[in-house]
Amino acid sequence: MKVKEKVWTYRDYLELNDDKRYEVINGRLYEMPAPTVFHQRILNALNLLIYMFSKRNKVGEVFISPVDVILSETSIVQPDLVFISKENKDIVKDRIYGSPDLVVEIVSPTSYYRDRYEKFRIYEEAGIKEYWLVYPGEKAIEVWVLKEGKYELYSIASGEGKVKSKVLKGLRIDLKEIFGEG
Amino acid sequence: MKVKEKVWTYKDYLELNDDKRYEVINGRLHKMPAPHFEHQDILGELFTIMRIYVKRKDLGKIISAPFDVILSEDTIVQPDIVFISKGSLKNVKEGRLFGSPDLVVEVVSPTSYHRDRYEKFRIYEEAGIKEYWIVYPGEKAIEVWILKEGKYELYSIASGEGKVKSEVLKGFEVDLKEVFNEG
């Protein structure tokens, strides 16, 4: 007899109380290791720019992880950074119930597959308009934008150059500001 | 009047003689900077493991860059590693490969990320290269893409730890530890 794997739901997730960080993706539970200093340094730099932009232009609100985003009964994620537009602000309660307008994930060896392929599909299906993938090792940023329900590569830079956002109109980020010089 | 950008061909490529490395992709000339230590270290490990496997099984040849692969009149590349099966060795002429290798490996760097992951991905797909390995040193990840009905599908992937396997090189698998030197 085959033992069926447990399908994790939002309710099960809330009952976890071991002080570790988890995500639930399509009913599967993933433990999230603590991020490294390199990861956090990049997140700080990105957050500073995106937060300032969003505040100055009064377009919405920015949160950095850990914050729960409940995309569905069986998909609860903690993206590295989320932006929620003013128009969408009703999804922000004690947690975020629904799809943010923009999500950023900073890739690491332990999260590469999940971020690049699994969450990519989850975010696409959830209708998240823009998905940024940041690759610290290759000093690269990709900006994916939803078009007819599928992500299309909207902006990309690696090594040097700038990337731009579609959701945050006018936001351009120079890789130097994120990864430092050289 | 708009000035048309030069379309580079194989003939133009052969006439370059400034001792630098170039690739021509869809008629556009790309200069290739000298690779860094880390890139060469990882490439060396993977090359050695693949070369020994292919030699022992007598499957063909594993060659590392710089080595010209002429995919078409306006696309000349120098992949980091190419596997040329026994049956394809006849396409090696004048020290270059005219046509598609059976397997290609690219080790990504900040200067090549976009080209390797998207531009060459499409080029290799169109050229009918059966298997494409992309190695990401920063993320300690390897992806193995294989051609299925003319499109690449992700066949094997590992990051951080684990193994990836090949379809073209039957029975070949490699542990990330061997390529990325443990830590």
Side-chain angles (χ1 to χ4, degrees):
Chain A
M1 213 181 90
K2 215 175 153 185
V3 179
K4 214 176 142 194
E5 228 182 289
K6 178 180 168 67
V7 175
W8 287 79
T9 64
Y10 179 50
R11 213 191 124 119
D12 300 327
Y13 175 80
L14 288 182
E15 282 169 4
L16 288 164
N17 57 359
D18 60 4
D19 286 338
K20 284 181 184 143
R21 283 177 61 205
Y22 294 96
E23 289 185 316
V24 178
I25 297 178
N26 284 337
R28 257 179 309 147
L29 186 74
Y30 293 92
E31 199 193 317
M32 304 185 71
T36 63
V37 163
F38 312 106
H39 182 280
Q40 294 307 88
R41 198 177 276 148
I42 287 167
L43 181 57
N44 275 337
L46 264 173
N47 180 43
L48 182 69
L49 298 174
I50 295 177
Y51 183 86
M52 289 308 287
F53 182 93
S54 153
K55 197 173 170 88
R56 199 167 14 159
N57 294 287
K58 300 191 174 66
V59 284
E61 205 171 356
V62 174
F63 298 95
I64 55 169
S65 66
V67 61
D68 285 343
V69 177
I70 295 104
L71 295 175
S72 73
E73 188 57 28
T74 52
S75 285
I76 301 105
V77 291
Q78 293 189 343
D80 287 322
L81 184 150
V82 297
F83 163 74
I84 292 136
S85 68
K86 262 191 327 209
E87 296 73 29
N88 208 2
K89 68 173 191 304
D90 292 348
I91 67 170
V92 182
K93 295 178 183 118
D94 59 329
R95 297 154 200 256
I96 296 164
Y97 295 86
S99 299
D101 296 77
L102 185 158
V103 160
V104 179
E105 295 285 6
I106 299 164
V107 169
S108 71
T110 50
S111 76
Y112 179 81
Y113 178 70
R114 195 154 74 230
D115 293 337
R116 181 62 183 83
Y117 297 100
E118 290 194 276
K119 285 184 169 177
F120 189 91
R121 217 167 308 126
I122 295 287
Y123 293 165
E124 199 174 62
E125 284 166 11
I128 295 172
K129 289 186 216 116
E130 190 166 309
Y131 182 25
W132 288 39
L133 274 159
V134 180
Y135 304 87
E138 334 309 342
K139 292 187 169 50
I141 300 181
E142 295 172 353
V143 178
W144 295 86
V145 165
L146 215 54
K147 214 163 180 188
E148 289 161 20
K150 292 275 164 205
Y151 278 136
E152 270 186 13
L153 196 54
Y154 176 73
S155 181
I156 179 171
S158 69
E160 52 178 26
K162 289 179 180 179
V163 287
K164 58 179 181 178
S165 170
K166 191 170 162 183
V167 165
L168 294 169
K169 275 209 195 332
L171 176 69
R172 280 172 179 274
I173 289 185
D174 194 318
L175 297 191
K176 279 203 293 277
E177 297 179 80
I178 307 303
F179 303 114
E181 303 275 347
Chain B
M1 216 180 90
K2 214 176 153 184
V3 179
K4 213 176 143 194
E5 227 182 292
K6 178 181 169 68
V7 177
W8 288 79
T9 64
Y10 179 51
K11 205 182 128 134
D12 301 325
Y13 176 78
L14 288 181
E15 283 168 5
L16 288 165
N17 57 359
D18 61 3
D19 287 338
K20 284 180 183 140
R21 284 177 62 202
Y22 294 95
E23 289 186 318
V24 179
I25 296 179
N26 287 336
R28 258 181 308 144
L29 188 73
H30 296 273
K31 200 173 137 192
M32 303 185 70
H36 286 186
F37 175 83
E38 193 196 23
H39 179 279
Q40 294 306 89
D41 188 27
I42 288 165
L43 179 57
E45 297 293 350
L46 187 56
F47 171 75
T48 305
I49 298 165
M50 278 189 166
R51 184 154 171 116
I52 288 170
Y53 185 86
V54 165
K55 190 167 184 169
R56 201 175 31 158
K57 300 262 176 180
D58 192 25
L59 301 172
K61 283 282 183 192
I62 292 277
I63 304 289
S64 78
F67 168 68
D68 285 345
V69 175
I70 295 98
L71 293 176
S72 70
E73 187 57 29
D74 65 1
T75 299
I76 302 107
V77 291
Q78 293 190 342
D80 287 324
I81 298 174
V82 297
F83 164 63
I84 307 165
S85 67
K86 265 177 144 177
S88 304
L89 281 170
K90 59 178 187 304
N91 299 328
V92 178
K93 291 162 203 153
E94 303 149 30
R96 300 178 162 98
L97 176 65
F98 291 83
S100 297
D102 298 81
L103 184 159
V104 158
V105 180
E106 297 284 6
V107 179
V108 167
S109 71
T111 51
S112 76
Y113 178 81
H114 183 197
R115 196 154 72 232
D116 292 337
R117 181 61 183 84
Y118 298 101
E119 287 195 89
K120 286 183 168 180
F121 188 90
R122 218 168 307 127
I123 294 288
Y124 293 162
E125 198 175 62
E126 282 167 13
I129 295 173
K130 287 181 224 127
E131 189 167 309
Y132 181 24
W133 286 45
I134 309 179
V135 180
Y136 303 87
E139 281 67 41
K140 291 191 172 42
I142 300 182
E143 295 173 352
V144 179
W145 295 84
I146 61 165
L147 214 55
K148 226 157 178 190
E149 290 162 22
K151 293 275 164 205
Y152 277 136
E153 269 185 15
L154 196 54
Y155 174 71
S156 182
I157 181 169
S159 70
E161 54 179 23
K163 289 179 178 178
V164 287
K165 59 181 181 176
S166 170
E167 189 183 71
V168 165
L169 300 173
K170 289 252 176 301
F172 180 76
E173 57 172 29
V174 63
D175 195 314
L176 297 190
K177 280 204 293 276
E178 296 178 74
V179 178
F180 299 114
N181 293 319
E182 295 291 334

